Amino acid sequence: MTISQNPIVLVTGASRGAGKGIALALAEQLGATVYITGRSQRSGDSPLPGTIFETAELVDKRDGKGIPVACDHRDDAQVKALFAQIERDHGHLDILVNNALCVPEGLTQEGPFWEKPLGLQELFNVGLRSSYVASYYAAPLLLKAGSGLIVNTSSAGGRCYMHGPAYGAGKAAVDKMAHDMAVDFKDHNIAVIPLWMGLLSTERSLQVFAAQPELYAEAAAMAESPEFPGRVIAALAKDPELMGRSGKVAYTAELAEEYGISDIGGEQRYSPRGMLGDPTEFNPAIIA
């Protein structure tokens, strides 16, 4: 199975960060029409730079077509309206990238979970629940396309201690959700991939690196570009054996090595498997 060139794509949470990088890479690699969602419409809407309109303009410059749609993924009605727009405009969807994620205040502060803000549970809403809702509304449009791809951006935090139990539970859940959705889609030529991204040089990360350059020098040197996972997703879309990967957790760097992909500067990225562990092989049992 391969996704056709010039696909219709939705990347959630693409004002900045991984979502923005993925949108740009899919435009460049596939000539995609990319729907870009997020809440940031004007400079200053977020402490970090980036808006849905700026991402859309950059997508246009990469031989794609960017379509910005303001959407709060906490609001099911807004999400439903988003997919109704895609259906009106194009009648189908080829690729969904579930990337929207709330990053609550206090996520990376030190200490046990009971000393952190209770608001960290918002990760279960925008991140976990939002991915389920978007996939729910995407399913009929993917089925109309006759083939498709859903990617849940995730991390090894679903298998190791990373930022505490709220973050870990959210990532573990989106991985398992992808596995189970793959079971439902297996006879419909639609693959679902939970993708473990490495440390990315996002706007947020760059601020952290700049604040303490000596402390984070090594991390900054090894950080992947936000476009790197998008290059891997583009390769997945072209893979005739894609369905064989459906439901299986994969490291971005390991897929890149298999597909012969480098980062935007030509750098070879290396898997953190040795430090962060192996993706879990889910049990193949199916109980309806």
Side-chain angles (χ1 to χ4, degrees):
M1 180 195 88
T2 57
I3 307 297
S4 62
Q5 191 71 10
N6 309 119
I8 308 303
V9 176
L10 167 60
V11 182
T12 70
S15 299
R16 62 188 66 84
K20 176 181 176 180
I22 290 168
L24 298 183
L26 294 180
E28 182 174 86
Q29 301 289 318
L30 301 178
T33 294
V34 187
Y35 284 81
I36 297 149
T37 68
R39 292 183 295 164
S40 297
Q41 300 182 61
R42 293 170 296 276
S43 179
D45 284 352
S46 168
L48 295 168
T51 71
I52 55 174
F53 298 105
E54 290 169 1
T55 299
E57 289 179 5
L58 292 172
V59 165
D60 290 344
K61 293 177 181 178
R62 296 288 190 94
D63 296 326
K65 180 179 180 182
I67 303 176
V69 180
C71 182
D72 185 340
H73 282 272
R74 296 172 296 186
D75 186 335
D76 292 356
Q78 290 187 38
V79 177
K80 183 178 181 180
L82 162 67
F83 284 95
Q85 178 180 340
I86 296 172
E87 183 170 27
R88 287 194 306 271
D89 292 349
H90 298 284
H92 74 281
L93 182 69
D94 296 296
I95 301 173
L96 167 64
V97 181
N98 283 314
N99 176 73
L101 178 70
C102 171
V103 183
E105 190 72 25
L107 176 64
T108 60
Q109 78 178 48
E110 295 183 5
F113 75 92
W114 60 88
E115 294 179 359
K116 295 184 179 185
L118 185 59
L120 292 188
Q121 65 182 306
E122 187 64 17
L123 286 159
F124 304 144
N125 193 5
V126 182
L128 172 56
R129 185 178 180 278
S130 62
S131 296
Y132 185 94
V133 173
S135 300
Y136 177 87
Y137 285 116
L141 300 184
L142 292 163
L143 292 170
K144 286 183 178 180
S147 63
L149 171 62
I150 297 176
V151 173
N152 289 350
T153 60
S154 187
S155 84
R159 300 292 185 275
C160 68
Y161 187 98
M162 187 180 292
H163 309 319
Y167 182 86
K171 293 303 182 185
V174 297
D175 293 347
K176 181 57 164 59
M177 185 168 64
H179 168 269
D180 290 1
M181 287 183 177
V183 172
D184 288 346
F185 278 127
K186 68 183 175 63
D187 295 327
H188 299 281
N189 222 25
I190 296 168
V192 191
I193 307 290
L195 189 63
W196 282 7
M197 301 186 295
L199 175 64
L200 302 179
S201 56
T202 63
E203 295 85 352
R204 188 182 304 274
S205 296
L206 291 174
Q207 282 191 358
V208 173
F209 298 160
Q212 296 179 283
E214 293 184 2
L215 179 63
Y216 290 108
E218 185 176 347
M222 66 179 288
E224 302 164 359
S225 80
E227 293 187 35
F228 184 57
R231 290 184 165 208
V232 170
I233 294 170
L236 285 167
K238 298 174 185 177
D239 187 349
E241 304 300 324
L242 175 60
M243 288 302 296
R245 299 186 184 276
S246 189
K248 299 176 181 178
V249 180
Y251 277 111
T252 305
E254 292 181 359
L255 289 178
E257 184 176 5
E258 285 188 48
Y259 290 127
I261 294 170
S262 61
D263 209 336
I264 57 175
E267 303 93 340
Q268 181 67 44
R269 299 303 183 185
Y270 299 99
S271 171
R273 177 186 290 264
M275 178 175 65
L276 299 179
D278 298 343
T280 295
E281 190 72 30
F282 293 107
N283 192 295
I286 298 174
I287 301 172

